Amino acid sequence: MIFEDMDPKVVANINNFLGDKKALIVDARKTSKSTVKKMLVASGVKMSHIFNATSLSDARDIIIDLKIDIVITASEVQKEKGMKLIEDHQKVFPNRSAAIFILMSEANSPASACAILDTEIDDYLAEPFTAKSLAENFINIVQKKMETSNFLTFYHRVKEHIFLNKLDEAEDDLLQLMQIEDYLDETFYLEGLINKKHGDFEKSLLSFKKSVEVNPRHYLSLQELIDGHTKLKQYAKAYEFSFASLKNYPIDPEKLPNLIRLSLTNQKYEDLIRYAKFFSSLDEQCPATKTSIAASLVLCSKYFFNNDNRKQGIQTLLEAVKASSGKLSILHNIIETFIANKESKLAYEILNKFSPLHGKNPIFKLLEIEICFILEDVQTVLTKGIPLAESGHANKKVFEAVIVSSIKTDRKKSSIENLIDKAQTKFPDSIDYFSSLYKK
Amino acid sequence: MKRDAAKQNLLSELLNQEDYKELGHSILLRNDTSGTSFLDYKSITIRELKEDSLCLELPKNVCQNGHSLTLIFFSSPLKTLIGKFPSVDSTSGIPIIGKVIEHLINEEKVNIEIKFTQYKPTLWNSLLETYEAQQRKISSLISKVKK
């Protein structure tokens, strides 16, 4: 433990600070808990004050009932996101000056840690961690929480009032903060948040801009400016502030698709070529964020197809398949993109490749029928499509495929009419369209 | 993480691979007690690194409590497919021999702790340092933003 190298007085203060604190470890896996527990006890948390939860619902109950001061959670708890618990923790401690929330995550790139930057989560612990990293990080956070200054007192109070929607109180405390000149960037940022909560969007952007003028690297103000200008469809401004942010900080991989959209709306097409190259090169090195990369590659490929660069479009989509980790929503998007760009054979190959994994999924079945219809495989369309149409699970395209294939194969008139009837019942806005299929 | 981007004006030019790369190791495992090898390194997740032990998550039936294991660590991603457990003497990876001291079943997987009996502390410590340095990069990023 790192305490051996620390000033005993500091250690005593830390022990004292943590002596009455209650901690909760949220993790469904049977690892790490003993190390985290050991570290908490060594730091001064009483063993009887440490609790465990293996699901978010249990964790929520414990946080609220026992007013847990310190939450250390895995990023994924029984397929739910551990970071959601910050909302519950914030309700118990709207003033974050002494509350601690730490996220442990398998995604261990610096960019992945950006997911917590605009939340009230205090720290991000990358896995696998060492006992030393765990202790160092925890002690750093505790020492930060032990700091008392005029600035921090008012800073936390303003944020608390904003969270509780007590905007008059927030404004009063903000006036106190305005007197402390060293932190004007933070003060303008908080002013922006108050204005935003008041619903004065334009005024809030002016405050965030003032914050960035004082400190061009103010992350939270930069993010607000990017979001705000995007919402106002001022994409050039959003691009400009994204540039300022990216100059100093990486981007949360989950937000990479937003970056691509921003380049597209700003017609920065050179970006797209570079993004595709960048994401392809990252694929193997980012196992935890591969799906965000895959989604980004799909967006790039759409741009290539739309700009007659078919070869690069196909290549980029195939890269996306590799990075998709078989995630259905991304595969669906990839296959649809192939179909939309008249590459049905490739779409079918990918579908077949992932059939053992998703073959029974209704979305996958619908896609298969759609592709077989394009490839004029009437028999498969009818064999697999009729049961879906009969049971009412078919979408519009599948109804169309089954009806047209039935007509082509001269199925009984009553069967075709029955299918049209079902299609019209399910899609009343397309009654005429389905009728017109038979007339033709 | 600072970049010299004075002359650049495209977002894509500011993406830095180092920020997005995850740090990982692939582990090949031989159960010396049962005489079987487990080469499906993608199914082994490192959970925690200790001074002279290691916590892993892996499929059931690979080992039991008290079993002796030989592990070889390689930097991820592994560039070649490995069909046979490599020779400990000539491998380019980091070989470690240890004993399973904890074995907890967690649904379809097990979590084990392996206490090292034969290993090179300098190599192991430098591996620990790599992960600690990655955490320091993350912490430095967070401290720039959080008050």
Side-chain angles (χ1 to χ4, degrees):
Chain A
M1 274 292 170
I2 59 167
F3 298 111
E4 291 136 22
D5 304 326
M6 288 171 67
D7 178 348
K9 276 184 193 165
V10 176
V11 176
N13 285 341
I14 291 171
N15 289 341
N16 192 34
F17 178 81
L18 293 171
D20 62 346
K21 299 276 186 280
K22 289 178 205 150
L24 173 67
I25 306 166
V26 190
D27 197 345
R29 303 162 304 177
K30 289 176 180 165
T31 45
S32 321
K33 279 184 196 166
S34 62
T35 310
V36 174
K37 201 177 264 185
K38 218 182 277 177
M39 182 276 298
L40 287 169
V41 172
S43 311
V45 181
K46 292 189 185 82
M47 187 63 124
S48 58
H49 284 184
I50 302 173
F51 303 88
N52 287 306
T54 54
S55 71
L56 289 204
S57 61
D58 285 352
R60 278 189 188 108
D61 291 344
I62 297 172
I63 289 171
I64 294 164
D65 294 347
L66 301 179
K67 287 195 183 315
I68 295 289
D69 306 272
I70 303 162
V71 177
I72 302 179
T73 179
S75 61
E76 200 181 300
V77 185
Q78 297 195 5
K79 294 185 179 165
E80 285 195 273
K81 283 192 170 185
M83 67 190 289
K84 280 186 192 166
L85 290 173
I86 187 64
E87 293 163 21
D88 304 279
H89 201 222
Q90 207 175 350
K91 279 179 199 156
V92 177
F93 292 104
N95 188 317
R96 306 299 297 168
S97 58
I100 296 175
F101 193 107
I102 298 173
L103 189 75
M104 301 185 287
S105 175
E106 271 180 51
N108 68 16
S109 68
S112 303
C114 290
I116 70 153
L117 292 184
D118 52 4
T119 71
E120 288 298 331
I121 297 173
D122 296 288
D123 204 6
Y124 187 98
L125 198 64
E127 293 178 355
F129 55 76
T130 66
K132 189 181 163 197
S133 290
L134 175 67
E136 268 178 8
N137 275 51
F138 184 68
I139 294 308
N140 279 342
I141 295 294
V142 171
Q143 286 185 304
K144 251 186 185 180
K145 298 285 176 175
M146 286 164 60
E147 268 176 46
T148 47
S149 67
N150 247 354
F151 165 73
L152 282 173
T153 307
F154 286 112
Y155 175 79
H156 286 297
R157 270 172 51 173
V158 173
K159 281 173 68 177
E160 177 187 2
H161 295 319
I162 295 172
F163 178 76
L164 296 171
N165 223 5
K166 293 178 175 172
L167 300 184
D168 290 341
E169 284 93 331
E171 277 163 3
D172 289 345
D173 281 336
L174 190 75
L175 287 176
Q176 301 296 322
L177 268 183
M178 290 281 188
Q179 312 303 318
I180 308 170
E181 284 188 7
D182 291 348
Y183 298 98
L184 277 178
D185 53 345
E186 296 296 343
T187 309
F188 288 134
Y189 166 67
L190 293 174
E191 182 187 75
L193 289 185
I194 295 171
N195 291 333
K196 193 174 159 190
K197 202 95 182 197
H198 273 306
D200 198 337
F201 208 58
E202 299 276 351
K203 206 170 160 190
S204 76
L205 288 183
L206 286 177
S207 304
F208 296 132
K209 228 170 269 177
K210 281 195 281 180
S211 164
V212 168
E213 275 161 20
V214 176
N215 172 11
R217 294 179 182 181
H218 196 278
Y219 180 83
L220 295 172
S221 294
L222 286 169
Q223 300 314 306
E224 291 287 351
L225 286 164
I226 296 165
D227 290 349
H229 285 296
T230 304
K231 275 183 195 137
L232 292 172
K233 298 188 175 165
Q234 294 167 349
Y235 299 118
K237 286 272 173 205
Y239 193 94
E240 184 191 312
F241 289 114
S242 295
F243 189 84
S245 178
L246 216 52
K247 237 162 72 174
N248 298 291
Y249 308 97
I251 181 172
D252 174 5
E254 285 196 13
K255 290 184 181 168
L256 283 170
N258 296 352
L259 205 66
I260 295 169
R261 285 188 198 102
L262 202 54
S263 293
L264 280 169
T265 47
N266 279 283
Q267 300 180 332
K268 303 271 187 185
Y269 300 128
E270 212 187 320
D271 271 341
L272 277 296
I273 295 163
R274 286 168 187 266
Y275 289 145
K277 212 171 154 190
F278 180 77
F279 299 140
S280 303
S281 68
L282 275 184
D283 174 19
E284 286 297 313
Q285 299 171 48
C286 305
T289 50
K290 269 172 99 172
T291 49
S292 298
I293 291 171
S296 307
L297 284 166
V298 177
L299 277 173
C300 291
S301 76
K302 286 181 181 171
Y303 158 75
F304 295 131
F305 278 119
N306 291 340
N307 287 277
D308 295 328
N309 193 345
R310 179 163 288 271
K311 197 178 159 195
Q312 189 148 11
I314 293 171
Q315 197 188 324
T316 309
L317 265 191
L318 293 174
E319 292 283 353
V321 175
K322 274 203 286 177
S324 70
S325 303
K327 198 176 173 187
L328 183 61
S329 59
I330 294 173
L331 285 175
H332 183 257
N333 200 353
I334 292 169
I335 293 171
E336 289 278 19
T337 311
F338 271 129
I339 295 173
N341 289 287
K342 299 185 172 50
E343 291 292 347
S344 305
K345 280 189 182 163
L346 276 172
Y348 195 62
E349 274 174 30
I350 288 154
L351 191 98
N352 267 340
K353 191 178 166 190
F354 289 94
S355 188
L357 189 64
H358 299 302
K360 288 182 182 161
N361 189 294
I363 297 171
F364 219 69
K365 285 182 184 170
L366 296 175
L367 270 177
E368 185 182 5
I369 295 159
E370 201 183 318
I371 299 171
C372 289
F373 181 56
I374 297 166
L375 295 174
E376 297 181 353
D377 177 359
V378 177
Q379 218 42 54
T380 308
V381 171
L382 293 178
T383 320
K384 296 193 172 176
I386 289 174
L388 287 175
E390 296 284 353
S391 62
H393 288 105
N395 61 14
K396 220 164 158 178
K397 283 181 182 167
V398 169
F399 267 118
E400 181 192 337
V402 173
I403 293 166
V404 172
S405 302
S406 296
I407 297 165
K408 270 189 188 169
T409 51
D410 288 328
R411 289 186 69 219
K412 271 191 212 162
K413 190 182 173 194
S414 59
S415 306
I416 298 169
E417 281 174 349
N418 182 37
L419 283 172
I420 292 175
D421 198 38
K422 280 197 184 296
Q424 287 173 327
T425 310
K426 190 163 178 195
F427 300 101
D429 56 333
S430 302
I431 289 178
D432 293 343
Y433 173 70
F434 286 118
S435 299
S436 72
L437 292 177
Y438 201 23
K439 276 176 202 162
K440 277 174 191 169
Chain B
M1 245 162 285
K2 288 171 194 172
R3 301 159 177 81
D4 178 20
K7 288 177 189 170
Q8 299 169 336
N9 55 10
L10 285 174
L11 287 177
S12 55
E13 287 177 344
L14 297 172
L15 291 173
N16 180 353
Q17 277 220 355
E18 289 306 309
D19 292 336
Y20 299 85
K21 261 194 223 166
E22 282 164 31
L23 178 64
H25 281 85
S26 304
I27 297 177
L28 301 181
L29 183 156
R30 186 179 64 205
N31 186 330
D32 298 320
T33 306
S34 68
T36 52
S37 297
F38 187 75
L39 306 178
D40 180 10
Y41 57 88
K42 287 187 178 166
S43 302
I44 301 180
T45 311
I46 308 173
R47 289 284 173 222
E48 200 184 327
L49 304 157
K50 299 187 180 184
E51 241 171 73
D52 57 0
S53 73
L54 161 81
C55 296
L56 298 178
E57 188 173 84
L58 69 176
K60 281 179 187 171
N61 305 327
V62 174
C63 60
Q64 295 296 326
N65 213 359
H67 281 189
S68 286
L69 308 179
T70 300
L71 313 170
I72 303 183
F73 282 72
F74 293 94
S75 294
S76 277
L78 256 180
K79 294 210 171 78
T80 48
L81 274 177
I82 308 234
K84 197 176 138 196
F85 194 78
S87 155
V88 170
D89 299 323
S90 59
T91 179
S92 59
I94 303 174
I96 288 171
I97 297 174
K99 201 166 200 171
V100 180
I101 57 163
E102 193 171 67
H103 184 277
L104 298 163
I105 297 173
N106 196 7
E107 292 178 8
E108 296 125 39
K109 300 250 176 179
V110 288
N111 296 121
I112 61 168
E113 181 170 350
I114 303 145
K115 173 96 173 162
F116 304 156
T117 49
Q118 283 180 56
Y119 71 112
K120 289 183 180 156
T122 43
L123 289 180
W124 179 248
N125 288 339
S126 89
L127 190 136
L128 292 188
E129 173 50 34
T130 320
Y131 281 94
E132 282 164 1
Q134 184 82 343
Q135 179 63 51
R136 280 197 294 275
K137 271 192 213 168
I138 290 173
S139 302
S140 136
L141 168 71
I142 294 170
S143 67
K144 279 188 204 166
V145 176
K146 302 263 175 197
K147 284 284 155 254

